[in-house]
Amino acid sequence: MTDAERPSPHYTSTLLPLLQQAHPIAELFLLIGSDSLRDLPFWHKPVEVISKCRLVVLPRPGITVDWVMLSLYVPGVDQIVDMLNGPTIDLSSTMLRDWLAGGNQPYYLIPSAVLNYIQEKQLYS
């Protein structure tokens, strides 16, 4: 079963056990932006999320993470985070969804195959 085929609501905390079941020997990594890491305490069952995968975090321009507060709300998070270094772009999945919902085309921002799928399934419209 894919994430799109399962009943709503969809949460990372409920997807990760399905991925573990499908790939029992794989180590799972979740790629997120530092804005998502900062907001992790507001996710559905964040402690369960970090118990099932490592977080690979891409810095976002202008975003800082308060590690003390984050660790208070999500104990152990500092032990499972790998911070990436490299060029950053001020772009997030939320911005892309809003852009698409406004009828705009995100040329050069996402692969054409992904854009075709989004259009075919009429996502974010």
Side-chain angles (χ1 to χ4, degrees):
M1 174 184 302
T2 67
D3 197 41
E5 295 169 331
R6 63 191 186 107
S8 293
H10 295 195
Y11 299 111
T12 302
S13 63
T14 57
L15 175 61
L16 289 171
L18 297 175
L19 292 173
Q20 284 182 318
Q21 185 178 21
H23 307 282
I25 62 171
E27 183 178 5
L28 300 179
F29 294 84
L30 181 61
L31 178 63
I32 61 173
S34 57
D35 53 333
S36 292
L37 177 63
R38 177 200 59 205
D39 297 340
L40 189 63
F42 304 105
W43 287 28
H44 184 261
K45 300 184 179 180
V47 175
E48 286 187 30
V49 170
I50 68 163
S51 73
K52 305 220 179 319
C53 67
R54 289 196 65 81
L55 301 179
V56 180
V57 181
L58 186 66
R60 296 267 193 232
I63 301 295
T64 58
V65 176
D66 183 339
W67 285 97
V68 173
M69 289 303 290
L70 183 61
S71 294
L72 283 174
Y73 288 103
V74 188
V77 68
D78 56 329
Q79 302 300 309
I80 55 85
V81 170
D82 296 310
M83 296 297 293
L84 295 178
N85 292 316
T88 61
I89 183 171
D90 194 11
L91 181 68
S92 69
S93 58
T94 301
M95 292 169 67
L96 281 173
R97 285 192 299 270
D98 291 346
W99 184 263
L100 288 163
N104 300 296
Q105 296 299 315
Y107 298 115
Y108 309 109
L109 298 177
I110 58 177
S112 58
V114 173
L115 180 57
N116 291 340
Y117 181 85
I118 290 170
Q119 290 171 335
E120 187 178 296
K121 302 294 184 182
Q122 298 179 332
L123 302 176
Y124 315 120
S125 55

